Structure formats: C-alpha cells, structure tokens
Amino acid sequence: MRVVVLTGAGISAESGVPTFRDADGLWEGHRVTDVATPEAFVADPETVHRFYDARRAALDTVEPNPAHRALAELGEALGDDLLLVTQNIDDLHERGGSPDVLHMHGRLRSALCAACDARTPWEGPMLDAPPCAGCGEAALRPDVVWFGEVPLGMDRIVEALESAEVFCCIGTSGAVYPAAGFVQHAAAYGARTVELNLVPSEGTAYFADSRHGPASALVPAWVAETLAEVRA
Ligand SMILES: [Zn+2]
C-alpha cells in the first residue's frame, strides 16, 4: 500500500515545541513573520540567527511522542511505499525512529551556505557567523524555508501524491499552501484521504475521513488500523 503522510505543527506541539501561532506569533517583540523572511535576514541577520539559535537549542528539551513513534513503525512496515513529509523543522520524527523524512520547510539542525549551497549538519548557534566548512565564507544561514521561498522536495511530493492509495494529514492548520492543496491533489488521483487533527482544520471538508483529538492518541490508532489492512 502506497501512503503519503503530511505532518504539521500539531504533532510537535504535543511534545512541547512551541508553534508559530503561540504567544500571538510574537518573539521578543518581533512578529514571527518578520524574522522568518529572506528580507529580515538581509536587514538584521543577528536577530534572525538569535531566533533560530534559540529554537535549535530548545530541541534539547523536547522528546518525540507516541505519534512520531507510530509513524516510524509504519515506515518500517511499508519501506519505500511510505513518503513521510513534514512541515516541521524540528528533528522529532528522526529521533522517533523515522530515518527518511522529507522536510519541506527545511531543518533547524542543518546549515545552508548562501555562497556555495552546501548543507551541513548543525547543532550549535550560528550567531557568531562561523565559516562554511566547504568554501570558507561566513555565509551560513539556517537551512529553513522562509516565507516567500519555495518549499523543498515538491517534485517528489507531487509524484508520490499522484500514486498514493492513502493520504493522511496530521496536525496541520490546512491554511498554508502548497501543503493545504495536497489533499485535493491526492484525492483527484484516487487516494483515500484521512485527517487526524486536534480540531477540524480549515481543509477538513476535503477529507473523506476526519478524526479529531490529540495526535498522540489518534496516530497510533490509525497506524494500527493501516498495518492490519496491509497485513491482511
Ligand atoms: Zn560554502
């Protein structure tokens, strides 16, 4: 069975990762949309680095939850037939046991060199402008997709949506495109569509099956059902 799963902020929120919408979207008096754009990075790189350095450091204080672990179990059973796509920039899927995750909005624990495009695993702060290990330029930026930039891996995602038998969307607001359009795309190509979300998302009407409650409860139950079907 070919399955595409899309996860969003809701699945990480249950592990204690703050979402962009928490605290009215403010960080140290800045609107989050003002520190998550290429323009902000050009105008004030220190503030943008401090924002992402803090988010990266906070990853040490959170752990994957049963929803992350259940998706790792699904991946173990389905192998290449599962494409796990996340809008999250944390590493909770990886730490929950999923080795191959498509981070369409990038990753906190990765640095992208604006000079040579090299990507490097990154744990510490970037505020002190360390040089790129590849080209030596002090041009590292957070390897995240900012507002106004194109999400990563779209070709692979669209191809997988078109051949999926099941599309499952977990913990997303259904408000941010292009991800909000995945359900209609998958359904148009014949996939069964499932929403697992704390509350009905903005796109809930597009799903054939919508279930509402905590991801840490709904996702393990859905994975168990899906695995039973695969093994039948
Ligand atoms: Zn470089």
Side-chain angles (χ1 to χ4, degrees), residues 112-120 131-140:
L112 174 64
C113 177
C116 75
D117 288 338
R119 293 191 148 88
T120 320
C132 168
C135 71
E137 292 285 323
L140 296 182

Side-chain angles (χ1 to χ4, degrees), residues 58 63 149 154 171 177:
E63 296 294 335
E149 295 183 320
M154 286 303 297
Y177 282 83

Side-chain angles (χ1 to χ4, degrees), residues 19 98 103 120 127 141 190 196 198 202:
T19 70
S98 295
H103 284 266
T120 320
L127 180 60
R141 55 163 276 183
L196 308 176
L198 193 56
E202 288 188 24

